[in-house]
Amino acid sequence: MTNTARDNILAKLNAAAPSKSFDASDFNVLKEKQLSAEERIRKYKEVTTAVNTQVFDLDRADWTQKLEEILVQKGVRHMLYGPSSHLGRNLEENWQNKDAALVPYNKAMEECKDILFDIDAAITSTLGAVAETGSVILWPTKEEPRLLSLTPPIHIAVVEADKFYTTFYEAIETNQWAANMPTNALLISGPSKTADIEQELCYGVHGPKELIVLIIHD
Amino acid sequence: MGIVNGKNFKGRVSEALKDQELRGNFRKAMDGLMTKRAAQFEDVDEWTRLRALGESIKKRALSKLPELLVQLEENLTKNGIKVHWAENVDQANEIILGILQSHDVKTVVKGKSMVSEEMELNHFLEPHGIKALEADLGEYIVQMAEEMPSHIIMPAIHMNKGQIAKLFEDKLPGTPYTEDAAKLTEIARKELRREFAEAGAGLSGVNFAVAETGTLCLVENEGNGRMVTTVPPVHIAVTGIEKVVENLSDVPALLSLLTRSATGQPITTYFNMISSPRKKGEKDGPEEVHLVLLDNGRSDVYRDAETRDTLQCIRCGACMNHCPVYTRVGGHAYGGVYPGPIGKILTPQLEGLDNYPEHPSASTLCNACVEICPVKIPIAKMLVRLRDENAGNCPHGEHPVKGRGSKSSAVEHASWKGWKAMNANPTTYKVATKAMSKMGNLMPSSLPMLSEWTSVRSKPKFASQTLHDLVKKMDVKDD
Ligand code: SF4
């Protein structure tokens, strides 16, 4: 049935395909948007804090200690992380806190659903951030799986200060995403939210209730 | 549910107009949305250029639609995603049922998908012992209320907090009445998390399908879309064939136009790009991903250069937010899956003018939708075309719209013929206008063709002198 359906649909479309071909699109309206490195970070913060993201500027030298303080303030007891990622190894080496334990996400989802749906917080690295829309870019990997940024009520995302782009278009073009798309790529712009009940904004309907972004400066 | 029905549009409109609570809910919501959108596009130059880009991306994609669909299929398949084609909703439903049955799925959790509404998928699955649970909060609410969405972006916009509070109290055992939106949201979060963790499959729509990379893009705020496409072992995506775009670099412009037009946000919380099922060594994500490509009349719409523009739609909903008719009658009055201006042109084309005879006329042609549409669909022009076809005037012989001529009326045809004859001849024109200035005001408002007009408006008053006479008297020179 489906093959016939395919053939029928394509035959109909082919018979009707317009003779007029359309020229390449003019992307200048996106290309012209260019901000300096400082402006990108400033703009990113402006847009993302407006949707309740908490942003911290941290020095590379002591960022894990600062993170530990943030977690204590928030009463986080357990933080999930990807142990074999670069970020994960960095955390393990520097982690001192006994109040907030590091919990590795190192098994298939099916074997640890109870932890995934019950943990206080999780941390991930990012590919960078987009200033115009206030988004962090995630390409989940074997080392840092998808649910780290979804099921826990707090998601902490780490962005390197030199990885800010002005627009999403620029991020795609500069890094030639099209040649190399991962299983799942994401833009995350704030904590999960809804306005489905009489337009009233409520955070954390299905995903994280809090998004904390750590910008790491050298 | 079961209000997918274009007949008795007028009856539903009368009901809606009498419902003050409903009108209040819509007025408030639409006013807010219009303000937020306007703030996003304050820079007129950027709006003009971005909009032209959006239109060009969609027009380019449609101009190559068949080849892009084939390319999309090739790349998705290469990436390990299974592609299915369905000519109509029955085929699409059967395909999905087959996938679900082969995995012995009892519950499928759903992200928002208007195409699945088009398919009435939930109803279809029910007798097969499969529960389809809506996970978008708005959809969850309307499903609980056994209704249809009344807006394509905000499905429960027609309800206020009190109505939702009552619904939760009635339908979710042990839930106390509360009008606190945060508490209601928390209740839904708890209810649905269990379902996400246990469901056998997840179903989603698609906002853009990228041919170049074989990527399915999803736009959402809540995270339910990510849940249904990540946690269950099987993910099924459904989309109309018009959602394909050529390149990944086409996506940012459309995404920007979509979210800013829809809710006035620079972007939604999650923009999710899915290019394959879980790969070896990956710890989460579905083992299987399927895409169902649905035609359901779209290839007919595609045949005609004029109607083809309908397929440019990116489903932002801005046209309904700005429509003076939609704002007053609400989404349910339309009796179709797609309400508002886009519904008025899309629904009759997909389902037939005979099934939705009133749709093309349910507009003042004020052009608000045309001015706001981020991909420049000439909605008003299309409405006129559909009215023309509906009246049985068929100069569009080669590619007629399904069910045309459904409002063809001998009286109307004769009237217009008479009108034409009167205006084409100076003598008859003179006699007729003179007669109207003398006798017009004596016509009772109850006359057959006048009564409907005068039921909600004052009867027009004819001047005692014709314009011709006045001009002559004033000695206006014709130069
Ligand atoms: S017709 Fe235009 S304004 Fe209406 S939903 Fe589609 S894209 Fe948006």
Side-chain angles (χ1 to χ4, degrees):
Chain A
M1 177 176 77
T2 44
N3 268 339
T4 329
R6 178 187 190 277
D7 296 345
N8 290 349
I9 295 169
L10 287 176
K12 272 169 97 175
L13 294 177
N14 273 317
S19 48
K20 183 178 168 203
S21 66
F22 282 81
D23 301 338
S25 304
D26 173 6
F27 287 91
N28 279 327
V29 60
L30 299 179
K31 286 182 188 160
E32 283 166 13
K33 289 184 185 177
Q34 292 290 343
L35 298 174
S36 70
E38 295 77 43
E39 283 170 335
R40 286 180 213 165
I41 296 185
R42 188 197 51 73
K43 176 78 180 167
Y44 169 78
K45 285 184 187 167
E46 178 194 312
V47 180
T48 203
T49 50
V51 289
N52 244 15
T53 308
Q54 301 155 65
V55 183
F56 295 89
D57 287 285
L58 304 178
D59 286 329
R60 189 174 303 282
D62 63 351
W63 77 269
T64 52
Q65 282 98 300
K66 289 277 166 14
L67 170 61
E68 289 178 21
E69 286 166 27
I70 296 168
L71 295 184
V72 170
Q73 270 169 25
K74 294 196 170 283
V76 170
R77 302 298 304 267
H78 296 97
M79 184 176 75
L80 200 65
Y81 75 111
S84 47
S85 66
H86 179 70
L87 179 85
R89 285 195 298 272
N90 197 331
L91 284 169
E92 282 172 357
E93 280 164 23
N94 295 300
W95 207 246
Q96 325 229 319
N97 197 323
K98 299 286 168 281
D99 291 328
L102 291 177
V103 179
Y105 185 0
N106 53 8
K107 284 184 268 199
M109 163 182 82
E110 290 74 11
E111 296 167 49
C112 56
K113 260 192 198 165
D114 46 344
I115 296 173
L116 289 170
F117 277 84
D118 198 34
I119 194 112
D120 296 345
I123 188 164
T124 68
S125 48
T126 66
L127 244 62
V130 178
E132 186 187 41
T133 52
S135 320
V136 287
I137 306 165
L138 266 76
W139 284 36
T141 55
K142 285 176 195 160
E143 292 75 30
E144 287 190 340
R146 292 155 79 163
L147 291 180
L148 282 174
S149 59
L150 183 60
T151 48
I154 301 178
H155 170 212
I156 301 147
V158 179
V159 193
E160 307 283 329
D162 60 356
K163 292 271 168 49
F164 280 77
Y165 303 92
T166 304
T167 59
F168 178 30
Y169 180 81
E170 184 190 53
I172 288 183
E173 291 289 284
T174 316
N175 300 305
Q176 299 182 342
W177 284 26
N180 179 32
M181 284 299 275
T183 303
N184 183 218
L186 293 160
L187 297 185
I188 299 180
S189 318
S192 152
K193 65 173 179 288
T194 184
D196 272 338
I197 298 176
E198 233 187 77
Q199 298 265 287
E200 195 175 312
L201 197 54
C202 299
Y203 289 100
V205 52
H206 296 306
K209 296 177 184 190
E210 291 183 45
L211 174 65
I212 299 172
V213 172
L214 311 180
I215 304 178
I216 309 295
H217 299 262
D218 283 305
Chain B
M1 270 196 229
I3 65 155
V4 183
N5 173 9
K7 305 281 166 65
N8 195 24
F9 178 73
K10 283 186 183 166
R12 280 195 302 270
V13 165
S14 303
E15 286 306 308
L17 289 176
K18 277 185 238 152
D19 187 340
Q20 291 303 328
E21 198 174 13
L22 182 88
R23 290 186 63 172
N25 295 348
F26 272 100
R27 178 86 262 173
K28 197 171 141 204
M30 298 305 122
D31 283 353
L33 287 166
M34 286 197 281
T35 314
K36 281 200 234 155
R37 181 213 157 272
Q40 281 295 326
F41 293 114
E42 261 174 356
D43 181 341
V44 178
D45 178 58
E46 194 235 23
W47 156 248
T48 311
R49 294 168 70 202
L50 190 62
R51 192 179 185 221
L53 173 56
E55 184 197 23
S56 109
I57 289 168
K58 287 298 289 186
K59 279 218 152 71
R60 173 162 46 85
L62 287 172
S63 76
K64 309 177 177 179
L65 184 58
E67 69 182 77
L68 291 187
L69 284 168
V70 170
Q71 190 191 359
L72 175 73
E73 179 185 46
E74 258 170 39
N75 284 326
L76 286 169
T77 311
K78 220 189 283 166
N79 296 347
I81 295 178
K82 297 193 172 119
V83 181
H84 311 261
W85 301 69
E87 282 179 88
N88 51 46
V89 295
D90 293 343
Q91 286 178 9
N93 279 328
E94 287 296 336
I95 290 165
I96 291 177
L97 178 66
I99 301 168
L100 295 176
Q101 284 178 335
S102 72
H103 291 275
D104 205 18
V105 172
K106 293 284 171 274
T107 301
V108 49
V109 277
K110 291 180 65 198
K112 230 170 84 52
S113 153
M114 294 311 290
V115 169
S116 77
E117 298 282 347
E118 225 177 280
M119 292 158 58
E120 296 195 64
L121 176 69
N122 302 5
H123 274 306
F124 171 81
L125 292 177
E126 209 178 292
H128 296 280
I130 299 173
K131 179 171 87 171
L133 183 71
E134 298 290 347
D136 170 89
L137 183 60
E139 294 276 355
Y140 179 68
I141 293 168
V142 293
Q143 185 176 41
M144 219 190 286
E146 296 179 29
E147 288 179 355
M148 294 235 329
S150 59
H151 190 286
I152 62 172
I153 304 285
M154 289 144 297
I157 200 97
H158 57 289
M159 296 169 92
N160 57 34
K161 276 184 210 161
Q163 291 165 323
I164 297 169
K166 181 91 185 54
L167 191 65
F168 273 49
E169 184 191 25
D170 290 350
K171 297 283 170 102
L172 299 173
T175 305
Y177 182 93
T178 173
E179 290 189 14
D180 183 330
K183 280 196 188 132
L184 290 165
T185 303
E186 184 65 33
I187 294 165
R189 175 181 171 104
K190 282 215 181 87
E191 289 284 325
L192 284 162
R193 274 173 92 80
R194 199 171 21 91
E195 303 281 357
F196 290 134
E198 289 167 9
L203 188 129
S204 75
V206 175
N207 291 92
F208 317 110
V210 185
E212 177 188 28
T213 54
T215 301
L216 308 175
C217 302
L218 269 153
V219 178
E220 57 136 355
N221 275 315
E222 296 187 359
N224 65 308
R226 287 193 64 201
M227 286 283 191
V228 305
T229 59
T230 312
V231 183
V234 180
H235 165 212
I236 305 167
V238 286
T239 185
I241 51 174
E242 78 280 24
K243 291 286 181 75
V244 62
V245 297
E246 188 171 6
N247 300 316
L248 193 65
S249 54
D250 288 332
V251 169
L254 295 177
L255 175 64
S256 178
L257 286 166
L258 171 60
T259 59
R260 292 159 82 187
S261 302
T263 49
Q265 303 176 88
I267 194 168
T268 49
T269 300
Y270 300 111
F271 182 59
N272 191 356
M273 291 157 270
I274 297 165
S275 301
S276 88
R278 186 191 308 196
K279 290 196 189 104
K280 204 166 171 303
E282 289 178 345
K283 296 180 182 65
D284 53 24
E287 302 280 355
E288 258 180 47
V289 179
H290 297 260
L291 175 70
V292 180
L293 287 165
L294 176 67
D295 180 343
N296 193 30
R298 288 163 173 82
S299 55
D300 293 327
V301 177
Y302 187 73
R303 283 186 309 175
D304 187 288
E306 197 171 63
T307 56
R308 186 181 307 133
D309 291 347
T310 316
L311 301 177
Q312 277 165 223
C313 178
I314 55 172
R315 306 283 189 268
C316 70
C319 54
M320 48 202 82
N321 301 347
H322 291 77
C323 175
V325 177
Y326 176 89
T327 309
R328 283 163 183 81
V329 302
H332 286 160
Y334 295 84
V337 171
Y338 303 96
I342 181 61
K344 282 182 259 195
I345 59 171
L346 182 62
T347 310
Q349 292 188 68
L350 297 186
E351 307 290 332
L353 275 163
D354 45 349
N355 287 316
Y356 287 84
E358 306 297 341
H359 268 48
S361 319
S363 169
T364 61
L365 299 184
C366 72
N367 238 29
C369 52
V370 181
E371 278 168 24
I372 227 70
C373 177
V375 286
K376 298 213 247 181
I377 300 176
I379 300 173
K381 191 170 147 210
M382 217 97 76
L383 285 167
V384 173
R385 153 85 184 261
L386 293 177
R387 285 180 189 187
D388 207 22
E389 290 220 32
N390 220 5
N393 302 329
C394 303
H396 323 282
E398 245 188 279
H399 305 298
V401 174
K402 251 194 294 194
R404 72 175 170 187
S406 73
K407 288 192 82 181
S408 171
S409 135
V411 179
E412 201 176 311
H413 276 299
S415 310
W416 286 117
K417 236 182 176 168
W419 176 264
K420 193 172 159 191
M422 181 190 96
N423 283 285
N425 179 311
T427 318
T428 50
Y429 178 79
K430 226 183 222 164
V431 172
T433 47
K434 275 240 156 65
M436 276 305 177
S437 67
K438 295 274 176 289
M439 317 283 290
N441 292 331
L442 299 176
M443 281 194 298
S445 345
S446 54
L447 271 186
M449 290 178 82
L450 204 57
S451 61
E452 206 168 339
W453 174 268
T454 53
S455 68
V456 286
R457 300 176 187 85
S458 330
K459 189 159 78 88
K461 249 193 184 153
F462 289 92
S464 56
Q465 285 178 306
T466 67
L467 180 66
H468 256 126
D469 290 342
L470 272 174
V471 168
K472 212 186 259 169
K473 228 182 243 165
M474 290 164 77
D475 202 20
V476 179
K477 294 274 173 293
D478 182 14
D479 50 18

